[in-house]
Amino acid sequence: MPNFLIRSIEPRDSAAIASIIRTVMPEFGADGPGFAIHDAEVDDMHAAYARQRCAYFVVALNGIVVGGGGIAPLDAGEDDVCELRKMYFLPEARGIGAGSAMMQRCLDAARSFGFKRCYIETLTGMDAAQALYLKSGFKALCAPMGGTGHFGCDRFFIRDIS
């Protein structure tokens, strides 16, 4: 099993993470309107997650950033709800345990910020991601929460993390 490292995002990682997001999302048909690929924060993820109650982490494999994921308050959501955001991995980071490790790192950060629930939205076709969410204790929702603006998503999940 390859050795990977999960660490907090640094300014030097923003270009790599933007590239990963713009590579992986189209792979799953998530490149049109209503998807996170168009969020302004994609261009500078370090600055976007330097805000209060936010954290973004990168996965490095042999010193190369191959994925990332983060948490932030759910836009237009209740104060105790965070959102798992922009968790994407290049193919070389899949199937090596990085997703489970990243999920745990993000949920630990969310708890440390005082969140009680974690929300995720995704789309049909991201089957491995949805399997990870269910394995991690998330439950499916029938409708979206908050106001993310990601109207292209059609699968929604929530988990109590208190």
Side-chain angles (χ1 to χ4, degrees):
M1 182 99 25
N3 243 353
F4 60 86
L5 169 73
I6 296 178
R7 61 173 172 76
S8 294
I9 192 170
E10 298 172 1
R12 66 186 170 107
D13 301 320
S14 285
I17 288 296
S19 176
I20 290 166
I21 291 168
R22 290 183 174 124
T23 298
V24 173
M25 291 192 74
E27 180 183 343
F28 295 95
D31 55 347
F35 290 110
I37 194 171
H38 301 295
D39 292 354
E41 70 182 30
V42 171
D43 287 319
D44 192 351
M45 295 291 283
H46 177 266
Y49 288 80
R51 299 175 294 130
Q52 189 175 14
R53 298 181 84 199
C54 296
Y56 197 86
F57 304 99
V58 298
V59 177
L61 189 59
N62 300 318
I64 306 295
V65 174
V66 294
I71 58 104
L74 175 62
D75 291 338
E78 296 175 28
D79 192 52
D80 71 338
V81 180
C82 69
E83 180 186 9
L84 182 76
R85 293 184 175 182
K86 295 179 179 68
M87 190 164 113
Y88 298 105
F89 299 90
L90 293 175
E92 57 266 35
R94 300 174 195 163
I96 61 171
S100 294
M102 178 64 75
M103 177 68 73
Q104 191 59 53
R105 186 75 176 263
C106 288
L107 293 177
D108 288 345
R111 280 186 206 93
S112 78
F113 295 144
F115 292 111
K116 303 290 186 223
R117 295 176 289 162
C118 185
Y119 170 75
I120 302 171
E121 53 190 18
T122 188
L123 70 152
T124 302
M126 291 189 138
D127 300 331
Q130 290 177 55
L132 173 63
Y133 304 154
L134 294 170
K135 178 180 155 196
S136 300
F138 284 82
K139 306 290 183 215
L141 294 170
C142 296
M145 293 175 61
T148 66
H150 301 152
F151 59 85
C153 293
D154 64 358
R155 298 279 190 254
F156 316 99
F157 297 86
I158 190 85
R159 178 184 164 182
D160 184 333
I161 59 170
S162 56

